[in-house]
Amino acid sequence: MAFTEKTRSIFTDEIQRIRDDGLYKEKRFICSQQDAEIEVEYPEGAPHKRVLNFCANNYLGLSSHPEVIKAAHEGLDTRGYGMSSVRFICGTQDIHRELQNRVSEFLGMEDTLLFPSCMDANSGVFEAVLGQEDVIIADRLIHASLVDGIRLCSAEYDTFKHMNTDHLRKKLEHHQDKRTRMVVTDGVFSMDGDLAPLDEMVALCNEYDAMLLVDDSHASGFIGKTGRGTHEHFGVMDGVDLITTTFGKGLGGASGGCVSGRSELVELCRQKARPYLFSNSLAPPIVSASIKVIDLISKSTERRDKLEWNTGYFRKRMGEAGLDMRPGETPIVPVMLYNARLANDMARDMYAEGIYVIGFFFPVVPAGKARIRVQLSAAHEKEHIDKCVDAFRKVGEKYGILGLGKDEIIARYGT
Ligand SMILES: *Cc1c(COP(=O)(O)O)cnc(C)c1O
């Protein structure tokens, strides 16, 4: 018996430390489709509760859209369940090619390569494209999957202060001796919902001969006038060299990701990116449904327009109710509470009111910046948003935080 009691206790101790630090992630079960209204079993074993979901990345409300489900069925019926192969052996169907072409067209890029997830795209892209003679200069708050991908690459790694283009300029100047420079950022940062200043960043990349990679996972499908993403929002569709994004958020919510951009860079990923070479192909039903998603959002901006309206309406009503939000324009709305326990307690009380939201605190966000992150969806109706705001008003009243700003909340609850 190799897994002795002594060995086991090493790991039970570690789990206990996670609990002691208040960082333990509870099990929660959704017992319905993913939608504006869901059935939740929480805590484990409790009776199902119908709640309004305000914490999914289901931005366009497509996770359970009838046409998307139908397209998945069609993919299943015509191309089968799975590929039993990685892409380059016998795992590429005509529909994989079709989805790649449709994504290139939608994002305004030269070529696209599908990956099992955006985490995989980010894990593979840097090592495939860059080497020791290059440098990566990344925003300090980029997504964990980009950080992991950069660690797998032998290029020098440098960072600039979050969204600080003056600092980025200094770093670009400093690295002019490298073979190439690649600037890396999220398009929309998932915790604060803020938009990277791509117009300024593209100008800097042009001035200092650098490539720009944007992870647009929290933007593809709904940011920008026709939902192409952060590069459309800032009017720099031609200035971004690589986009990585996911099909697991706004674009249907199942799974899959891609690298899209300059054809030579995408080709190098096809030749060398390890998650592309060594992990299974995206399943046909997902590919087929993702093509349908691109169809739907290319034909009409109705869903991203509704999401924009919902976001504006929610922010306005929450402001009137006296809650302290981080300003912004994306469907990620951080309700700032600063104190971890307060964020947790309020999220629990919101759940009792039938609103599903989650408290975020260190280490997911910096210490002293605890919050409830609300995410709007095109699946929300006005009544859903009204109910959510009413619940925030009621729970906010209970904790005496309505109308209070940062300093006052911290004075009362600490950080
Ligand atoms: C969610 C997310 C990912 C991971 O996407 P998956 O397809 O779920 O692996 C990568 N980058 C960013 C910025 C994300 O928000």
Side-chain angles (χ1 to χ4, degrees):
M1 197 180 70
F3 201 67
T4 61
E5 283 312 308
K6 184 155 168 271
T7 305
R8 188 185 296 277
S9 70
I10 292 169
F11 300 107
T12 45
D13 287 354
E14 181 174 350
I15 295 166
Q16 189 56 45
R17 274 198 300 278
I18 294 172
R19 285 187 189 279
D20 293 345
D21 292 344
L23 302 175
Y24 189 77
K25 292 169 197 69
E26 300 290 342
K27 293 176 187 163
R28 311 168 207 262
F29 302 92
I30 312 286
C31 310
S32 64
Q33 296 189 342
Q34 184 67 280
D35 216 332
E37 272 193 88
I38 52 173
E39 298 227 353
V40 179
E41 177 191 325
Y42 172 71
E44 190 170 12
H48 297 182
K49 184 174 164 73
R50 263 197 103 68
V51 292
L52 294 174
N53 193 357
F54 279 88
C55 59
N57 300 313
N58 185 20
Y59 294 113
L60 293 170
L62 293 172
S63 306
S64 305
H65 189 283
E67 284 198 56
V68 176
I69 293 174
K70 184 156 157 270
H73 278 295
E74 280 162 16
L76 189 62
D77 291 341
T78 62
R79 294 293 184 283
Y81 170 63
M83 290 313 298
S84 307
S85 170
V86 300
R87 286 288 304 281
F88 84 97
I89 299 180
C90 56
T92 299
Q93 291 171 316
D94 51 354
I95 56 172
H96 291 89
R97 178 180 58 196
E98 185 184 348
L99 178 56
Q100 288 177 168
N101 291 340
R102 296 299 305 279
V103 169
S104 301
E105 192 192 336
F106 184 74
L107 297 179
M109 295 287 148
E110 292 170 6
D111 198 6
T112 297
L113 191 67
L114 301 179
F115 282 77
S117 69
C118 186
M119 172 104 197
D120 286 321
N122 289 340
S123 302
V125 62
F126 299 104
E127 194 200 12
V129 169
L130 303 175
Q132 278 176 358
E133 57 276 53
D134 304 305
V135 63
I136 293 167
I137 310 173
D139 186 287
R140 286 192 182 156
L141 292 189
I142 53 171
H143 192 260
S145 58
L146 290 166
V147 174
D148 286 3
I150 291 168
R151 284 157 71 183
L152 294 171
C153 170
S154 61
E156 190 178 330
Y157 181 31
D158 204 347
T159 62
F160 62 98
K161 291 178 197 157
H162 181 51
M163 303 210 313
N164 185 329
T165 45
D166 290 334
H167 198 216
L168 173 58
R169 176 188 290 275
K170 288 206 183 79
K171 294 297 176 106
L172 283 166
E173 259 165 23
H174 177 74
H175 290 294
Q176 283 302 300
D177 59 329
K178 305 298 185 299
R179 182 184 72 162
T180 70
R181 292 146 288 284
M182 185 181 279
V183 175
V184 176
T185 186
D186 292 17
V188 172
F189 289 86
S190 60
M191 282 304 141
D192 289 339
D194 43 2
L195 290 148
L198 289 194
D199 47 354
E200 291 173 50
M201 294 175 75
V202 166
L204 278 176
C205 287
N206 288 338
E207 191 178 339
Y208 290 97
D209 184 20
M211 296 179 281
L212 179 59
L213 180 148
V214 178
D215 180 338
D216 235 5
S217 291
H218 283 280
S220 296
F222 52 94
I223 297 292
K225 276 242 164 333
T226 63
R228 315 282 151 157
T230 316
H231 59 329
E232 183 186 28
H233 176 90
F234 285 104
V236 290
M237 297 275 293
D238 293 334
V240 176
D241 303 294
L242 283 173
I243 288 177
T244 63
T245 194
T246 181
F247 300 103
K249 291 187 172 115
L251 301 177
S255 65
C258 66
V259 171
S260 190
R262 307 287 176 205
S263 54
E264 296 78 7
L265 305 180
V266 175
E267 183 60 36
L268 275 178
C269 288
R270 188 178 285 112
Q271 299 306 319
K272 291 168 67 185
R274 293 168 72 85
Y276 175 84
L277 296 175
F278 299 117
S279 190
N280 207 36
S281 289
L282 206 50
I286 296 178
V287 176
S288 183
S290 299
I291 293 170
K292 174 56 75 179
V293 166
I294 302 287
D295 270 347
L296 290 172
I297 63 177
S298 302
K299 250 188 251 153
S300 156
T301 59
E302 197 183 323
R303 303 191 80 80
R304 58 90 46 214
D305 295 345
K306 184 175 175 196
L307 175 61
E308 193 169 69
W309 190 90
N310 283 353
T311 301
Y313 180 68
F314 177 75
R315 278 190 171 276
K316 176 169 157 285
R317 288 221 48 210
M318 287 286 280
E320 287 162 5
L323 286 131
D324 179 22
M325 290 165 292
R326 262 191 80 96
E329 47 191 317
T330 68
I332 297 169
V333 184
V335 179
M336 298 308 295
L337 299 162
Y338 308 101
N339 175 290
R341 160 142 294 164
L342 179 62
N344 235 358
D345 289 350
M346 277 189 60
R348 191 197 54 229
D349 288 0
M350 290 292 289
Y351 184 75
E353 297 294 324
I355 305 294
Y356 193 38
V357 286
I358 303 292
F360 288 83
F361 38 86
F362 185 81
V364 181
V365 296
K369 293 201 175 166
R371 73 210 40 203
I372 289 176
R373 180 181 68 171
V374 176
Q375 290 170 286
L376 281 302
S377 166
H380 291 137
E381 301 302 335
K382 184 165 173 285
E383 308 82 80
H384 297 144
I385 298 171
D386 287 335
K387 275 193 190 151
C388 181
V389 175
D390 289 346
F392 264 113
R393 186 185 283 119
K394 181 169 170 188
V395 173
E397 173 97 59
K398 171 176 164 186
Y399 290 92
I401 58 154
L402 295 184
L404 301 191
K406 176 179 176 182
D407 296 341
E408 295 155 311
I409 297 175
I410 292 176
R412 187 151 182 171
Y413 286 97
T415 57

